[in-house]
Amino acid sequence: MAAATRLSVRNIHKSFGAHEVLRGISLDAHDGDVISLLGASGSGKSTFLRCINLLETADQGEIVVDGERIEMTVRNGRNMPVSRKQIDRIRAELGMVFQSFNLWSHMTILDNAIEGPVHVLKRPRAECIAEAEALLEKVGIAEKRHAYPAHLSGGQQQRAAIARALAMKPKVMLFDEPTSALDPELVGEVLRVMRSLAEEGMTMLVVTHEMSFARNVSNRVIFMRSGEIDSDGAPEELFGKGGSPAFRQFIGTFGS
Amino acid sequence: MDFPFLFQTMKTLLAALPMTLALFSLSVLFGGLLALLIVWMRVGGNPVLSRFARGYIFIFRGSPLLIQMFLVFYGLGQFGFIRHSFVWPALREPFVCAVLSLALCTAGYTAEIFRFGLRAVQPREIEAARAIGMSGFLLVRRIIAPIAFRHALPAYSTEIVMMVKSTALASLVTVWEVTGVAQRLIAQTYRTMEVFLCAAIIYLVLNFLILQAMALIEHRLSPHRRAAVSLVPGGLPVSR
Amino acid sequence: MQIVETLGFGQTGWGGLLLMAALMTLCVTLTALLIGAVLGAVVAAAKLSQSRAIRTAGGVYTTIFRGVPELLIIYLVYFGGSSAVTMIGAYFGYDGFLGLPTFIAGALAVGLICGAYQAEVYRGAFLAIPRGELEAAEAIGMNRLLRFRRIIAPQVLRFALPGIGNVWQLSLKDSALVSVTGLADLMRTSQVAAGSTRQYFLFFIVGGCLYLVLTSMSDRLFASAERRASRSMPAGIGQI
């Protein structure tokens, strides 16, 4: 039996002014898929990720999260979601990890992690704290749970941000260049956490420049170029000899 | 120095302190609430409301409080429809007029202070909140307002001290608070220095207490801006 | 039509008097600003002094004049000053009450207050001068006076300009309180006109509008002065 489809995106278009950033991207993610999105900067991969949880609104296209279609309508000539409630609910099901962590600076790490479960999902606080502490333990920063973001290293902040996203029990995790803002020596600790998530069967969509992650952890690699999908396939295949000339050139510049 | 006179003066002035405190606390309360409304109009995106809020802030920050207070106290009673309306029994009271004009005025200043606080909220912290499904009032209550208020606190403390001083103007519309009583004592005794000394001490102590309270609030609200050492409440210092 | 006559410049109109009064308000505030500039510079120097006692004295000054209601300070200067003048009069054989001229009392009182605010502005501006520039001046052998005149004063003035603008606005509004001594400033004249015509609302609105004209015009003036003064500074540094 084929695994359930967690996320299905059809024909996404997005322009900023005259500049067309996404030109019809489609993608299906099944349960347990770990998909790496590669591409030069400006190829539209971050915009694509942000369109999925509607931090940007696509001009055109369809998004289905775990069987639920996001309803869109055209108002004043712009594509808009119909129901704000639905968007909030969908967002709660999609965990997002940002390049710049985006932890709330006025809350401790633990408070960051329980904020969503307690106030968005309205679950009992004690339960949320217990779960959040387990998650912080898992990402290896349990001892920092009463510290504030400003007092943590970048790697620790990013691991906390991953725990915050996991605390919502998301169906799909979206990673937007999670290691790009980190010093090289801190990249490893974040990748280790992501790897163990992948091994547990979390469905993940990862925009990244980490070739080793794309090659060794993900089960599918998508290479984007000028707002379109250039190559799409299993890492062994693409990194073997299946990739397009543009992809070969791209990984060449990364020296792998 | 004439200690019995100072003692007597202090006693007389302290008797008027509750009035000063009542003027102060009521106008800070109502002014603060009004300021929230004005900030909401100013940044809410509706061009008509935004222009109204701009105009409000311009008028109340650009003209002296005394003329605003006289306008409320003398000006409103000139109109028959106000004198015959249900609010007149309240508006004919000098105390109500004083609180009303103090609150209207401080709302203009406070709205600007809150607006600058709002500008300190980082877009990415809002984005992170949206990404977990927060929106509308929940987003304002949990993320935007706490961050903005912390940033606005130092300027807001200054505004609150200004308000303590502004309550003195109520004496000019016949509300007998500390400065009004002091003026009466000076006119009766011609012992300006002594009376001034007593009144000044009252205000300075009051300001000191208010600033201490505000500093305490600020300290409580911003552990994230202090050094990492005193982080765990009641626990051992955490090292980095 | 009646309004035109009441506010006009004719025999029964108050227009001319109101404009004269606005001029008076400007004069009092300007004089106060100059008194405050001298006091402010001295107090700022005191607060930056090596000597602890002098620093404390500076601190006491700013605490009192920023913390005590403006009205109380005006009473102190007016009544206190009048007692002093009366005593001097008595020494020369005149045994009636002599009042301190209201213009002098008003300008002095507002000057004392705005001196305290200006002291803070100058102190902040001095601290904003990069230490290296002062060392560079010392290194090429400038003496203290020359350093002050060539390096410190011009920079302090530039850094202080936005702050002085704020103090000016504050003093313009504080000057309305001088009306309690009977000086025919804009506030007092609006009040007299309102009382004698029973048109309270009209005259307080007109008076308020004239204050708004004064504050917004001077706001523009300071903004353009700031632009001129910050030409040599990298963007953003002009705003302290």
Side-chain angles (χ1 to χ4, degrees):
Chain A
M1 192 187 108
T5 308
R6 288 289 180 211
L7 176 70
S8 173
V9 182
R10 290 277 155 268
N11 196 28
I12 294 287
H13 285 262
K14 175 74 182 172
S15 301
F16 292 108
H19 180 47
E20 193 173 16
V21 185
L22 299 176
R23 313 178 180 195
I25 306 274
S26 300
L27 170 111
D28 282 311
H30 303 287
D31 204 13
D33 270 354
V34 178
I35 303 176
S36 290
L37 284 163
L38 306 180
S41 59
S43 60
K45 48 199 194 321
S46 284
T47 307
F48 175 57
L49 209 64
R50 293 165 61 83
C51 280
I52 294 176
N53 68 353
L54 279 105
L55 287 175
E56 308 282 355
T57 312
D59 302 330
Q60 215 191 99
E62 185 185 66
I63 297 162
V64 181
V65 178
D66 207 31
E68 184 180 356
R69 185 174 171 277
I70 299 180
E71 296 180 51
M72 304 295 284
T73 181
V74 176
R75 214 175 294 157
N76 300 331
R78 286 179 54 203
N79 204 27
M80 302 254 261
V82 172
S83 152
R84 177 156 220 156
K85 271 221 165 84
Q86 190 196 24
I87 299 310
D88 287 346
R89 193 174 60 239
I90 298 270
R91 279 174 173 163
E93 293 174 0
L94 296 170
M96 178 88 170
V97 176
F98 299 88
Q99 179 178 348
S100 48
F101 334 131
N102 299 11
L103 291 169
W104 297 303
S105 55
H106 63 302
M107 296 179 183
T108 64
I109 296 306
L110 182 62
D111 287 337
N112 263 279
I114 65 169
E115 180 68 17
V118 172
H119 292 280
V120 177
L121 304 177
K122 309 227 181 311
R123 294 179 44 215
R125 193 182 177 85
E127 226 173 76
C128 298
I129 291 179
E131 286 178 16
E133 286 186 333
L135 285 170
L136 292 173
E137 184 78 49
K138 187 166 140 186
V139 301
I141 48 167
E143 80 282 8
K144 296 285 188 192
R145 63 187 184 278
H146 294 302
Y148 286 88
H151 303 130
L152 264 55
S153 74
Q156 291 170 328
Q157 287 191 51
Q158 192 58 298
R159 285 185 282 149
I162 293 174
R164 175 176 71 178
L166 289 173
M168 298 293 287
K169 298 188 177 157
K171 293 178 173 144
V172 179
M173 286 282 285
L174 310 173
F175 292 84
D176 186 5
E177 304 201 22
T179 56
S180 300
L182 297 176
D183 294 337
E185 71 270 20
L186 301 175
V187 169
E189 59 190 58
V190 172
L191 287 182
R192 264 196 298 283
V193 169
M194 288 168 63
R195 178 177 206 131
S196 74
L197 269 182
E199 282 161 2
E200 285 166 26
M202 173 62 77
T203 312
M204 294 161 65
L205 214 57
V206 185
V207 170
T208 186
H209 289 294
E210 292 297 326
M211 289 306 142
S212 65
F213 181 87
R215 196 168 193 164
N216 304 325
V217 182
S218 53
N219 65 345
R220 187 171 160 200
V221 172
I222 291 176
F223 173 62
M224 285 178 64
R225 199 160 74 98
S226 326
E228 288 171 336
I229 293 182
D230 178 90
S231 314
D232 180 354
E236 313 82 62
E237 186 190 328
L238 287 193
F239 285 94
K241 44 189 176 298
S244 70
F247 179 69
R248 301 234 66 85
Q249 197 194 350
F250 174 73
I251 56 173
T253 63
F254 278 86
S256 40
Chain B
M1 207 172 245
D2 186 353
F3 280 108
F5 177 77
L6 283 178
F7 182 71
Q8 194 54 45
T9 305
M10 201 53 142
K11 233 172 96 178
T12 316
L13 290 178
L14 281 176
L17 184 59
M19 181 55 90
T20 292
L21 289 176
L23 286 165
F24 166 73
S25 47
L26 286 176
S27 50
V28 165
L29 174 69
F30 290 124
L33 293 176
L34 188 56
L36 289 177
L37 183 70
I38 292 165
V39 168
W40 174 74
M41 292 199 277
R42 177 76 174 77
V43 303
N46 179 322
V48 179
L49 290 182
S50 177
R51 186 155 304 170
F52 173 82
R54 266 169 198 268
Y56 183 98
I57 292 167
F58 171 73
I59 288 171
F60 284 94
R61 291 176 80 219
S63 61
L65 170 60
L66 186 58
I67 212 160
Q68 297 165 19
M69 199 177 272
F70 278 5
L71 191 61
V72 170
F73 186 67
Y74 296 107
L76 291 184
Q78 199 185 318
F79 298 104
F81 70 92
I82 290 177
R83 268 204 314 279
H84 297 123
S85 76
F86 70 99
V87 290
W88 183 240
L91 273 184
R92 66 191 300 178
E93 289 297 325
F95 178 76
V96 175
C97 287
V99 169
L100 181 63
S101 44
L102 283 166
L104 287 172
C105 181
T106 187
Y109 288 90
T110 309
E112 277 300 87
I113 291 169
F114 286 171
R115 194 166 68 87
F116 278 96
L118 275 182
R119 300 219 300 216
V121 184
Q122 303 232 8
R124 51 204 178 97
E125 292 185 90
I126 297 175
E127 191 161 80
R130 286 197 194 285
I132 63 162
M134 283 193 180
S135 63
F137 186 63
L138 183 65
L139 177 62
V140 172
R141 185 170 63 87
R142 294 295 310 169
I143 307 292
I144 297 176
I147 298 175
F149 187 64
R150 282 168 175 81
H151 278 273
L153 256 179
Y156 190 54
S157 307
T158 312
E159 172 58 18
I160 281 193
V161 169
M162 286 294 203
M163 279 307 282
V164 173
K165 297 198 292 171
S166 295
T167 58
L169 300 201
S171 64
L172 299 178
V173 293
T174 70
V175 177
W176 292 106
E177 45 63 70
V178 174
T179 298
V181 172
Q183 190 267 338
R184 197 164 53 184
L185 285 178
I186 291 174
Q188 283 166 1
T189 62
Y190 285 98
R191 296 169 80 161
T192 314
M193 263 327 267
E194 285 107 318
V195 178
F196 174 82
L197 190 69
C198 291
I201 286 172
I202 292 178
Y203 281 105
L204 291 178
V205 169
L206 193 55
N207 289 344
F208 176 76
L209 293 177
I210 289 169
L211 285 177
Q212 287 299 306
M214 294 301 278
L216 191 71
I217 294 174
E218 203 179 330
H219 185 76
R220 277 282 183 80
L221 288 182
S222 43
H224 58 292
R225 286 200 244 159
R226 290 200 294 276
V229 207
S230 57
L231 273 179
V232 179
L236 288 168
V238 202
S239 60
R240 258 286 297 270
Chain C
M1 277 333 280
Q2 211 199 327
I3 287 186
V4 177
E5 203 168 303
T6 321
L7 291 178
F9 296 89
Q11 201 87 88
T12 54
W14 288 87
L17 282 172
L18 282 172
L19 286 186
M20 284 300 292
L23 203 61
M24 178 60 92
T25 286
L26 274 180
C27 287
V28 171
T29 312
L30 203 60
T31 314
L33 196 75
L34 293 176
I35 295 173
V38 175
L39 285 171
V42 171
V43 174
K47 291 187 87 164
L48 291 164
S49 155
Q50 306 282 335
S51 143
R52 199 195 162 100
I54 295 177
R55 273 206 310 275
T56 310
V60 167
Y61 180 91
T62 51
T63 307
I64 289 179
F65 286 98
R66 292 192 315 158
V68 172
E70 300 81 2
L71 201 52
L72 209 51
I73 302 206
I74 290 170
Y75 292 145
L76 171 75
V77 172
Y78 182 63
F79 291 112
S82 297
S83 315
V85 172
T86 306
M87 262 193 316
I88 295 167
Y91 183 78
F92 288 106
Y94 181 87
D95 53 350
F97 175 81
L98 283 174
L100 189 64
T102 51
F103 183 90
I104 294 175
L108 193 60
V110 178
L112 283 165
I113 298 163
C114 91
Y117 286 99
Q118 284 189 67
E120 296 296 332
V121 171
Y122 294 142
R123 194 177 75 96
F126 177 78
L127 293 175
I129 302 175
R131 296 301 92 179
E133 294 188 20
L134 300 183
E135 278 168 22
E138 255 176 290
I140 63 162
M142 284 189 177
N143 63 30
R144 279 175 75 136
L145 191 66
L146 200 58
R147 277 209 307 273
F148 180 78
R149 200 163 56 82
R150 300 294 312 160
I151 309 296
I152 298 177
Q155 298 238 56
V156 162
L157 277 184
R158 273 193 304 184
F159 283 129
L161 209 48
I164 296 175
N166 286 338
V167 173
W168 166 260
Q169 300 280 13
L170 203 70
S171 304
L172 205 54
K173 286 174 276 174
D174 282 348
S175 78
L177 301 183
V178 174
S179 63
V180 299
T181 64
L183 180 72
D185 74 331
L186 187 47
M187 181 71 224
R188 177 79 191 163
T189 307
S190 308
Q191 216 179 329
V192 170
S196 56
T197 58
R198 306 248 142 228
Q199 299 270 8
Y200 293 101
F201 198 78
L202 176 70
F203 277 104
F204 288 134
I205 288 279
V206 169
C209 287
L210 285 172
Y211 273 109
L212 284 176
V213 169
L214 293 183
T215 49
S216 51
M217 267 179 16
S218 42
D219 204 34
R220 293 245 172 101
L221 216 66
F222 271 102
S224 70
E226 254 168 64
R227 269 197 303 280
R228 286 171 57 89
S230 58
R231 272 177 309 188
S232 69
M233 281 191 267
I237 290 196
Q239 273 67 47
I240 311 178

